[in-house]
Amino acid sequence: MTVSALTRPGERDRLIVKLGEIDWIFCLTVSLIAGAGAVMQFSIAGSSWMPWAAPHLARYAVFFAIMIVLSVIDLRVWFALAYPIYGAAFLLLLAVPIVGHGALGAKRWLMAGPIQVQPSEIMKIGLVLALARFYHGLSGKSAQFSWWLLVPALLIMAPVALVAKQPDLGTAILILATGAIVVILAGLSWRVILAGLLGVVALVPPVVMFALHGYQKARLTTFMNPEADPSGAGYHILQSQIALGSGGLLGKGYGLGSQSQLNFLPEKQTDFIFATLAEEFGFVGCVSILLLYAAVIFMALRTAYLSHSHFGRLAAAGVTATFTLYVLINGSMVMGLAPVVGVPMPLLSYGGTVMLTVMCGFGLVMAVRVHRYSEVTSGKGSLL
Amino acid sequence: MLGIGLLGGWRVAEPHIFFAEVNERQGVFHRRAFVLGGFAGLGLVALGAQLAHLQLIESERYTKLSASNQFNFRLTPPPRGLIVDRNGVVLASNRPNFRLMVAKDKGIDPKQTLKTLAEFVPMDDTRQSRLLREISNAPRKSPVQVMEDMSWEQFSAINIRAPELPGVTADMGEVRVYPYGGAFAHVIGYVAKVTKEDISDTGPNADPILLNPGFRIGRQGVEQAFDLDLRGKPGAQKVEVDANGHEVATDPAGDIKAIPGKEIVLTLDADIQNRAMEVFGEQSGAAVMMDCRTGDILCMYSGPSFDANKFVRGLTAIEYKELAQYDHKPLFNKALTANYPPGSTFKTMVALACLENGYDPSTVHSCGKSWAWGGRVWHCDKAHGALDLKGAIAQSCDIYFYQAALTVGPDKIAAVARQFGLGQEFDIGIPGQKKGLVPDTAYKRRAFPKDPVWHPGETPSMGIGQGYTHLNPLQLCVQCSRLANGRKALHPRLVKSVGGVERPAGASFGDLPFDAKHIDFIRNAMAAVTVSGTAAGLSNMGLGDIKMAGKSGTAQAFNYTAGHGGAHGAQGEWKFRDHAWFIAFAPIDEPRYAVSVLVEHGGFGASTSGPLARELLRVALLKDPEIRATIEHPLPIPEAPKVESDPDVVDPPTPAAQAVQTAQQTTE
């Protein structure tokens, strides 16, 4: 089968052709990371499949299948569903404060029978799709700077405001950053970007002073000086750094990380799984995992590069941005470079919600790849 | 349109290819994706750099922090040093003690824990509520001892259930034990729980071992004075803990051994001390015995005593009240603190002061039971008739000594008395001596600003050891042993060695600045006391040739006015009776042991304290190997004077002779 097959309508719609076009090396890399997660979860459970490693793998298997299914869905279907998905996510976000569930004063999810739905996660994909669709129909000139930009601004800020209100500052920032990246990739004027950056910098102090919740402020001050209160708020950062640092070059050995095995490390199976890995496998293990992440990011971005449609480009790049932000934020947090925010390490951390988001996103990326020669209409007349 | 079409029939309309769209938008996207991808790469590189910083450069520091997270050192208390007597008999040691401890921690309800524990060990409600208070006052995770001296059954029953009882530990500690109970209580003291006041921020008591549950600190006597020597250095047990401080494993290789406390050897002799306790019974008083060649204290008993073991356990309020309110004052070490006028024992000092100042010992005064001088009448117990100095000592004639004292005056008497250790404090290693007083004119000037003159009328009282003079049994023993030694200004030594390091012997002090002939004179006079004087008959110790010399003293206890005969003696209410003193040494010719005995409100010295002194000396002599040798293998009877007694008439064996025979039999 040749690439030219993809340019031939009819031929390229055959399922076998589509499956062949999936980037299986990408899938392998993603699976390696998820597998590493299972390996670590097996270790910190005291060499036990339960309670984390087995569910992690089972979940990954299901989500992997979902990813494959999503990747063969025609890009035009994605295109058509972009706004409906965004709209549904937005409605669910609106419903959260009313009928939502949560813990510690924050309402973050909805219950659909036994299934826990976190609308902010759907919104991560929904926003990327909506922005991609919007810019697909927008001229390059308008994307630079025009009144049209009010639409993406609204598309971004509305869910960000709702998520921040939950409150889930970490996810809000993640959605905001993802949206901003898509807008930038779509060709926002550099002057506007610069002005926006200056605006953000100027906004940080008043937001920190007035708009943050007490615990959010505490996290920030703790981040600035974790040694000030080693057993209190600085505990997480300090213990995580101890776990990392004591790993050394080659680590303490599999199953021998005292920081994680003896519970000094908080959230060891979720947000701080990377510290666990760092402790047991050392610098070598950490760099290996980071290289896997880098490979995933590179391959996903390359997919965006290859796409012939603006929608596909922006969608794939948006998903890549979300994934990259996850990795960088969690990495910085674990290494003491950023305040503790509840952002897991995608695929490595235990937990279904983020994994589902990431795998759906990768389904979209693969769909972009499989349908990279697909022609997506400008969309004129449908909405814009 | 297209979207709706797709949703409708999933039929994908054939789109036209517009490669013309490889346009500005795509170019912008490619450039920007490249830039942002570069940022992502930079971000990952930054993470890698931070990893390298933490894991390669600062790894050592974090490894240490991790280890200090992972391992705790749990202090292991050192075994407290033994206290033994001069022959190695153990006077204070440690015995195993099964203890039960409860710690406060997250998620533990101490009240419920105690309730559960009460099913295994006796613990009534009041005790439970007291312990609950103690536990809630203690810092988190620091265990509080709730029970000790559990039986093996209780210990193992709780140990088996320990996993279901969080915060509860049952372990084997050590607790101090005093095998002789009361006999050594005042000298050795006892150990008791550490109080908040004991713990200081600095110094030796900042030692964290003090916070160990069940740790005890020395109180009183040797236990207090040598607490740091006896305490030793705590060891540490390396334990692996999790983030909640729960023990996961121990690492015996990482343990640091505790250094046991030093052993303290006392100069005391357990046999003499125990005998002192026996012979005192409920009598209130003290006995001190010294080896008058070395200064070693062989016996220092204060009676009645108390069981030091009860103090280790902790007294109940009732027990303490009983001890504190008993008029025989068992809590005081009377050997060091019971300061009384020395009575007639002081006449030895007056006589020596006279001799040293050129007094002719053959000077005779006549005693007619009363003597008028200085505008008042001075009394004696009876009319002794004409006496010289030796006779006056032997008969303890007050009237003679009123006049003798007047001849030399208070200052010279005081100077001699002080040379014999009276009114002095000695470094015997344990605290709590009361110095007492040997008065002189300087004292009078100092202490009585309103009446700074030594009145001549005060001298006669001093001459018979009354008045201002107040001395303790230790001082009288030193006085007696210096007299018996005759040459050396012996100092008492109570602690022979600490951790194998010998303490300076009491015999290493200077010579007495007195004419040896004069001291001999006093010794001879003291020999006369027990042969024919006030304590006639006491010289015979039932040890054949080995005899005892001594001097009795009777100190008026109550409402004393000089020369007043008054209602004193051995009659009347206990607390109004006189204090009975006796000082003695033996053997007379080559003195080895000197003793002083005080019986508070005991009546006459010669009859109450004298026999006690003799008994203690007897025990000491019988334990002395050289003395035993002479008793068991007597020298051949000298040929010369053939005793003209009927060989058929055999005296019935006296109890004393029997004792010697028994002693011989037991050694053979």
Side-chain angles (χ1 to χ4, degrees), chain A residues 22-302:
Chain A
I22 289 173
D23 188 345
W24 293 105
I25 294 177
F26 178 84
C27 294
L28 177 71
T29 316
V30 168
S31 303
L32 278 177
I33 296 174
V39 164
M40 288 325 299
Q41 279 149 23
F42 182 81
S43 163
I44 54 177
S47 297
S48 162
W49 287 103
M50 293 307 284
W52 300 308
H56 182 81
L57 281 181
R59 227 179 255 153
Y60 180 73
V62 172
F63 297 165
F64 187 84
I66 291 176
M67 177 182 84
I68 298 299
V69 169
L70 292 180
S71 59
V72 296
I73 292 178
D74 197 290
L75 203 56
R76 282 165 294 187
V77 178
W78 284 103
F79 185 81
L81 289 177
Y83 287 144
I85 291 174
Y86 179 89
F90 189 75
L91 288 177
L92 289 174
L93 270 182
L94 280 176
V96 163
I98 304 156
V99 292
H101 295 74
L104 305 169
K107 281 186 177 175
R108 289 176 184 174
W109 63 78
L110 300 169
M111 297 303 289
I115 299 169
Q116 192 176 302
V117 179
Q118 205 159 322
S120 56
E121 293 297 320
I122 304 174
M123 183 47 87
K124 280 174 191 163
I125 304 289
L127 177 66
V128 166
L129 283 172
L131 287 174
R133 161 145 200 193
F134 173 77
Y135 276 108
H136 183 83
L138 200 66
S139 73
K141 199 137 188 78
S142 300
Q144 272 193 11
F145 189 65
S146 71
W147 286 108
W148 285 114
L149 289 184
L150 285 178
V151 177
L154 201 69
L155 284 176
I156 295 169
M157 290 320 291
V160 165
L162 285 175
V163 173
K165 196 86 188 136
Q166 281 179 358
D168 188 351
L169 197 66
T171 308
I173 289 174
L174 206 68
I175 293 173
L176 178 68
T178 306
I181 286 170
V182 175
V183 172
I184 290 169
L185 286 172
L188 186 66
S189 157
W190 283 114
R191 263 175 251 170
V192 180
I193 295 170
L194 203 66
L197 276 177
L198 287 175
V200 167
V201 170
L203 268 177
V204 164
V207 164
V208 168
M209 291 295 286
F210 303 112
L212 288 186
H213 288 258
Y215 78 95
Q216 291 167 334
K217 247 184 264 186
R219 277 181 183 176
L220 272 180
T221 47
T222 301
F223 162 65
M224 300 302 173
N225 187 11
E227 272 86 1
D229 183 12
S231 62
Y235 183 82
H236 289 199
I237 294 176
L238 207 61
Q239 294 301 337
S240 172
Q241 281 184 314
I242 291 172
L244 282 158
S246 63
L249 180 66
L250 295 171
K252 292 177 182 169
Y254 185 55
L256 298 175
S258 59
Q259 285 289 109
S260 41
Q261 305 283 350
L262 299 174
N263 291 328
F264 289 101
L265 204 57
E267 310 288 333
K268 55 185 181 180
Q269 80 280 14
T270 56
D271 291 1
F272 285 90
I273 187 90
F274 190 77
T276 308
L277 180 128
E279 189 184 20
E280 298 196 350
F281 291 105
F283 184 66
V284 171
C286 287
V287 170
S288 308
I289 286 289
L290 283 186
L291 284 176
L292 288 178
Y293 276 114
V296 168
I297 292 165
F298 175 77
M299 285 187 264
L301 203 57
R302 200 176 113 82

Side-chain angles (χ1 to χ4, degrees), chain A residues 278-347:
Chain A
E279 189 184 20
E280 298 196 350
F281 291 105
F283 184 66
V284 171
C286 287
V287 170
S288 308
I289 286 289
L290 283 186
L291 284 176
L292 288 178
Y293 276 114
V296 168
I297 292 165
F298 175 77
M299 285 187 264
L301 203 57
R302 200 176 113 82
T303 304
Y305 230 80
L306 291 177
S307 173
H308 280 220
S309 65
H310 205 48
F311 172 74
R313 275 197 282 274
L314 290 176
V319 169
T320 312
T322 309
F323 183 76
T324 310
L325 286 170
Y326 267 126
V327 174
L328 290 180
I329 291 175
N330 181 272
S332 315
M333 173 184 94
V334 166
M335 293 174 204
L337 293 172
V340 174
V341 284
V343 174
M345 193 59 128
L347 302 173

Side-chain angles (χ1 to χ4, degrees), chain B residues 321-379:
Chain B
K321 216 168 151 188
E322 267 174 11
L323 283 173
Q325 292 182 345
Y326 186 24
D327 63 357
H328 283 38
K329 296 195 177 356
L331 294 176
F332 291 95
N333 184 358
K334 297 183 185 108
L336 305 179
T337 61
N339 287 18
Y340 292 114
S344 302
T345 62
F346 196 69
K347 287 171 182 161
T348 54
M349 297 292 98
V350 179
L352 189 62
C354 289
L355 293 171
E356 283 291 309
N357 288 286
Y359 186 87
D360 181 1
S362 59
T363 308
V364 172
H365 290 292
S366 184
C367 169
K369 205 175 178 206
S370 63
W371 175 64
W373 180 81
R376 52 178 288 194
V377 176
W378 303 77
H379 294 274

